[in-house]
Amino acid sequence: MIPQNLLQSTTQKCTTGCPILDRLLRGGIPCDSITEIVAESGSGKTQICLQLSLHAQLPVSHGGLSASALYLHTEFPFPFRRLHQLSLSFRSSNARHLPCNDNPCDRVYVQSVHSADELLEIMSKTESFIESSKTQLPVRLIVIDSIAALFRSEFDNTPVELKRRSSLFFKISSMLKALARRFNLAVLLTNQVVDMVGPNEGINGLRIGNLGCLYTSGRRVCPALGLAWANCVNSRLFLSRHEEVNREENGKLIGESGGFVCKQTRRKLYVVFAPHLPESSCEFVITREGLFGVEITAC
Amino acid sequence: MEIWRLPISASQRGKLISAGYTTLSSLSSISSSDLARESKVSESEALDILKFASHSHSGGWEMSSGNCSIFEGAQNAWDMLHEEESLVHITTSSADLDNILGGGIHCKEVTEIGGVPGIGKTQLGIQIAVNVQIPHGFGGLGGKAIYIDTEGSFMVERALQIAEACIEDMSEYNRFIRKDFQACEIRMQPKDILGNIFYFRICSYTEQIALINYLDKFISEHKDVKVVVVDSVTFHFRQDFDDMALRTRVLSGMALKLMKLAKKFSLAVVLLNQVTTKHTEGSFQLALALGDSWSHTCTNRIVLYWNGNERYAYIDKSPSLRSASAAYSVTRRGIRNSSSSCKRIKMM
């Protein structure tokens, strides 16, 4: 056993496709590491995943991994149309770095997963798939969207089942980490949230990361799957959304007369914990072209 | 054995030492009259000294070492106390934390540090791996570090950041304390610090056990290793173990080996642990992972927890330290005192 030379190893990052978000994440989603995005539905988890899958194809000199992506989805249906839409703007803005007449969607391998056991089976096959893939770009990004969906229904709330569940967590995590290590992969997972019922602290007075910021849609939430799973990821990001009612200058609601209120959603990305990042946050918007950070300038 | 251990008065000791008798062996073949003349003590005093010395040499005194040992290498508590006082601790870079730890992380001991994800276990681990390299001139150990990463949370860029801040702090200290700045300029570079961390990435528990078995050989070849950080000791032991008794045996075997390493090479072992919920009498409580029998294996146990928006460290178990807690913070530069506690001191 020989220690690894730290001077020669730098962590590669995969760009998110937005310079502002990349700056917050110091270059993007790191390789040889598991990054988790926690958010309630409709916050933009899947959007980030899709965008990252496309941007992994960029050459290393442009922040990508020059690699294809393996996209495991557990929530149905897979948003093909949105991926296609994103791929159009991705191709037009990065035409110089991509082979022409080529569809970026071809290098996003999509696989559906229905249960935790199936996930284990797929992951054991993934190794040979990555090794044998003769495509011009090797797989260097694994996305699982979402990990929570696999576990939220299948298990009972009894000590034996919970124990089996947490043992599975560690198994999945260590398989992913071993893959990430072996092929220098970036791994991105999404997770859902559960509402927090207790008074101030999390479940059983438990706090994982800086919970103070975990508000979304005016509710206090905490990441699903509990403490055991939190030990399985390296970095955790959180997306929040808040509906804001647009008001006119005189304070009258826009469209009030029409019977419905025009709402605007403010979205924010937080770093909950990460070994290489400070706790920080950034607002972002989701447009037709994708997901972009917004720098708030003092006005 | 040295002369100062003899049960004689300080003035007699002073006279002996100034006459050049510093070790017991130097007293072994000398007559009392010669000793009296050379060290300017009275004849009867010299006789007493020789009596003590020969007694002590043949193992009669409780303070003697080596010769009286029943087993080779055994030490008595007196010797160990002196040895411990001479040991340098590894600072955590937070004075408050060092304070409750009795100076920092102790060498020759196994220290376990646990806490929820995101509390700063890995940060503390990296900080210790950097701080062990602070040279002797700056109150450090000038050693090297072994970092065993089982979770993949060690980030080179973060280690580099902490190393840079550590060197900055040292040069600051240098300017502050020393006038002859040139004489003791810091020759360390952040890259050297990274080069002195032996990093092992472990992907299964069999690998983890194999590496820990191999460490004895590795450290024999790299004697300047002064700390072994395992981040975390837990991860691979929380899957695939249906037989909990087997897990306990494997873990305690591993802990014994680490403890042996700590003693043999006089180095600090830092084990990072996760927390889990423990189900007792219908209620769930937070506890460090790996179960009750594991909790016996570490000499010191430190629990990191959130208190409001501040991070705190609490000494859960230690044979020599009183239980106490202290706030700390994780900053860009690494582990530091909590900023709010600094404010409090300033206000006072």
Side-chain angles (χ1 to χ4, degrees):
Chain A
M1 278 180 253
I2 301 159
Q4 188 186 325
N5 189 346
L6 292 177
L7 295 175
Q8 283 162 7
S9 58
T10 47
T11 317
Q12 247 186 312
K13 308 269 175 72
C14 179
T15 176
T16 57
C18 162
I20 294 170
L21 291 181
D22 279 354
R23 203 178 314 143
L24 182 83
L25 301 173
R26 300 239 166 93
I29 304 299
C31 291
D32 189 9
S33 183
I34 298 183
T35 307
E36 181 193 53
I37 299 178
V38 179
E40 68 167 326
S41 62
S43 303
K45 298 188 293 277
T46 303
Q47 303 294 322
I48 293 193
C49 292
L50 294 174
Q51 189 162 325
L52 199 76
S53 312
L54 292 171
H55 282 85
Q57 298 170 22
L58 286 178
V60 176
S61 56
H62 289 80
L65 301 172
S66 52
S68 344
L70 177 64
Y71 198 109
L72 306 175
H73 69 108
T74 65
E75 289 169 18
F76 297 88
F78 178 79
F80 293 103
R81 260 173 304 196
R82 179 60 175 152
L83 181 67
H84 179 66
Q85 193 180 37
L86 285 173
S87 74
L88 295 179
S89 61
F90 170 70
R91 196 163 57 174
S92 63
S93 54
N94 295 292
R96 279 173 301 142
H97 315 305
L98 298 168
C100 50
N101 297 328
D102 175 84
N103 189 351
C105 292
D106 287 349
R107 283 182 301 271
V108 179
Y109 303 107
V110 181
Q111 166 77 50
S112 65
V113 186
H114 299 85
S115 70
D117 291 326
E118 199 183 340
L119 178 64
L120 284 178
E121 201 186 310
I122 287 171
M123 278 197 311
S124 54
K125 285 180 191 155
T126 305
E127 192 172 333
S128 54
F129 172 70
I130 295 175
E131 263 182 341
S132 65
S133 57
K134 294 277 189 289
T135 49
Q136 61 189 111
L137 297 178
V139 171
R140 285 197 52 206
L141 171 70
I142 295 182
V143 175
I144 302 181
D145 180 22
S146 73
I147 193 84
L150 296 176
F151 289 98
R152 289 193 74 173
S153 58
E154 208 183 306
F155 294 85
D156 287 333
N157 201 8
T158 60
V160 178
E161 283 283 277
L162 287 175
K163 208 178 137 215
R164 189 166 78 88
R165 192 176 86 150
S166 67
S167 174
L168 259 179
F169 288 162
F170 282 93
K171 193 164 185 174
I172 289 172
S173 166
S174 80
M175 278 176 100
L176 280 173
K177 281 176 179 175
L179 280 176
R181 173 79 184 155
R182 177 146 176 223
F183 301 105
N184 200 15
L185 302 172
V187 179
L188 185 68
L189 314 175
T190 65
N191 191 0
Q192 303 167 351
V193 295
V194 290
D195 275 316
M196 227 144 77
V197 225
N200 246 332
E201 299 285 294
I203 301 164
N204 318 317
L206 164 69
R207 270 183 67 143
I208 302 164
N210 201 0
L211 273 188
C213 63
L214 300 190
Y215 278 98
T216 180
S217 298
R219 291 175 296 136
R220 210 154 172 200
V221 296
C222 73
L225 306 185
L227 175 62
W229 175 254
N231 282 311
C232 292
V233 299
N234 296 116
S235 313
R236 175 170 270 179
L237 309 175
F238 175 71
L239 308 181
S240 76
R241 51 176 288 182
H242 292 283
E243 304 286 342
E244 262 186 11
V245 178
N246 260 345
R247 284 168 192 278
E248 273 182 339
E249 273 174 22
N250 60 7
K252 203 181 162 205
L253 295 174
I254 296 175
E256 204 178 34
S257 52
F260 69 99
V261 177
C262 180
K263 283 182 184 168
Q264 187 197 4
T265 309
R266 295 190 70 164
R267 301 165 191 277
K268 217 164 175 185
L269 179 134
Y270 295 87
V271 177
V272 183
F273 62 79
H276 61 303
L277 299 173
E279 281 153 24
S280 49
S281 64
C282 171
E283 277 205 44
F284 68 92
V285 291
I286 299 176
T287 67
R288 189 186 170 79
E289 286 75 34
L291 188 140
F292 299 98
V294 182
E295 261 177 327
I296 299 167
T297 45
C299 40
Chain B
M1 183 163 156
E2 282 161 7
I3 211 89
W4 57 271
R5 299 256 178 103
L6 285 179
I8 53 177
S9 75
S11 64
Q12 286 172 342
R13 201 176 297 145
K15 283 173 181 169
L16 283 179
I17 289 168
S18 57
Y21 296 105
T22 52
T23 61
L24 280 187
S25 53
S26 64
L27 291 175
S28 60
S29 55
I30 189 169
S31 71
S32 59
S33 55
D34 283 349
L35 184 66
R37 197 178 59 249
E38 283 181 23
S39 52
K40 299 184 183 67
V41 292
S42 75
E43 189 110 357
S44 64
E45 277 177 307
L47 212 61
D48 280 343
I49 291 169
L50 286 183
K51 209 163 79 190
F52 285 135
S54 66
H55 218 98
S56 155
H57 216 78
S58 59
W61 291 100
E62 69 276 286
M63 285 170 268
S64 65
S65 73
N67 295 332
C68 69
S69 306
I70 303 168
F71 302 108
E72 208 180 330
Q75 284 179 302
N76 61 36
W78 176 259
D79 291 331
M80 285 162 76
L81 179 68
H82 279 285
E83 204 179 285
E84 197 189 285
E85 279 168 355
S86 67
L87 281 180
V88 181
H89 305 308
I90 306 166
T91 172
T92 58
S93 286
S94 157
D96 294 342
L97 214 55
D98 284 351
N99 219 358
I100 63 164
L101 288 170
I105 302 293
H106 292 235
C107 287
K108 286 194 157 188
E109 285 180 18
V110 177
T111 305
E112 182 186 19
I113 301 173
V116 293
I119 191 76
K121 299 185 295 289
T122 300
Q123 304 296 321
L124 196 53
I126 297 175
Q127 186 77 57
I128 289 166
V130 168
N131 284 357
V132 73
Q133 302 178 38
I134 296 174
H136 295 288
F138 294 88
L141 267 80
K144 291 182 180 176
I146 290 178
Y147 200 99
I148 302 173
D149 186 7
T150 67
E151 300 194 8
S153 285
F154 184 95
M155 291 293 229
V156 178
E157 56 182 272
R158 182 62 180 145
L160 197 65
Q161 217 173 28
I162 291 176
E164 277 162 3
C166 178
I167 288 176
E168 264 171 48
D169 283 355
M170 281 196 285
S171 39
E172 186 76 9
Y173 173 83
N174 220 351
R175 258 196 301 283
F176 195 67
I177 299 293
R178 288 169 217 268
K179 290 178 185 99
D180 48 346
F181 180 58
Q182 291 293 322
C184 201
E185 205 177 347
I186 298 158
R187 286 187 199 89
M188 265 171 123
Q189 294 291 318
K191 280 188 170 178
D192 301 337
I193 290 191
L194 283 191
N196 286 338
I197 299 175
F198 298 111
Y199 174 84
F200 295 91
R201 176 79 168 86
I202 295 300
C203 286
S204 71
Y205 74 88
T206 39
E207 240 181 279
Q208 187 172 337
I209 294 164
L211 175 63
I212 282 166
N213 291 341
Y214 166 69
L215 278 186
D216 186 52
K217 184 167 178 284
F218 185 83
I219 299 173
S220 311
E221 288 159 9
H222 300 86
K223 282 259 166 53
D224 39 5
V225 168
K226 282 292 159 219
V227 70
V228 177
V229 180
V230 186
D231 175 15
S232 67
V233 74
T234 333
F235 182 74
H236 294 300
F237 287 93
R238 294 188 72 179
Q239 46 156 335
D240 284 341
F241 271 99
D242 295 324
D243 184 355
M244 284 298 155
L246 173 70
R247 186 178 89 162
T248 305
R249 281 200 300 279
V250 169
L251 277 170
S252 51
M254 190 180 77
L256 269 179
K257 277 183 191 118
L258 286 168
M259 217 172 276
K260 208 170 145 195
L261 283 179
K263 288 270 182 295
K264 184 172 171 192
F265 298 103
S266 180
L267 51 82
V269 174
V270 177
L271 307 178
L272 304 183
N273 194 358
Q274 303 172 344
V275 290
T276 180
T277 41
K278 194 175 158 190
H279 190 233
T280 41
E281 290 159 17
S283 71
F284 286 96
Q285 281 186 322
L286 275 191
L288 294 194
L290 300 180
D292 285 336
S293 48
W294 169 258
S295 66
H296 297 294
T297 51
C298 293
T299 322
N300 305 298
R301 225 172 195 208
I302 301 163
V303 177
L304 309 179
Y305 63 98
W306 286 101
N307 185 0
N309 272 329
E310 267 186 292
R311 293 174 159 95
Y312 272 77
Y314 170 75
I315 297 188
D316 187 41
K317 172 191 166 188
S318 163
S320 56
L321 303 168
R322 66 191 183 90
S323 51
S325 59
Y328 69 97
S329 62
V330 180
T331 68
R332 191 181 58 81
R333 300 163 64 83
I335 303 286
R336 291 294 183 267
N337 272 347
S338 165
S339 51
S340 64
S341 72
C342 288
K343 268 180 228 151
R344 227 174 288 145
I345 290 164
K346 269 178 205 156
M347 270 156 64
M348 281 155 72

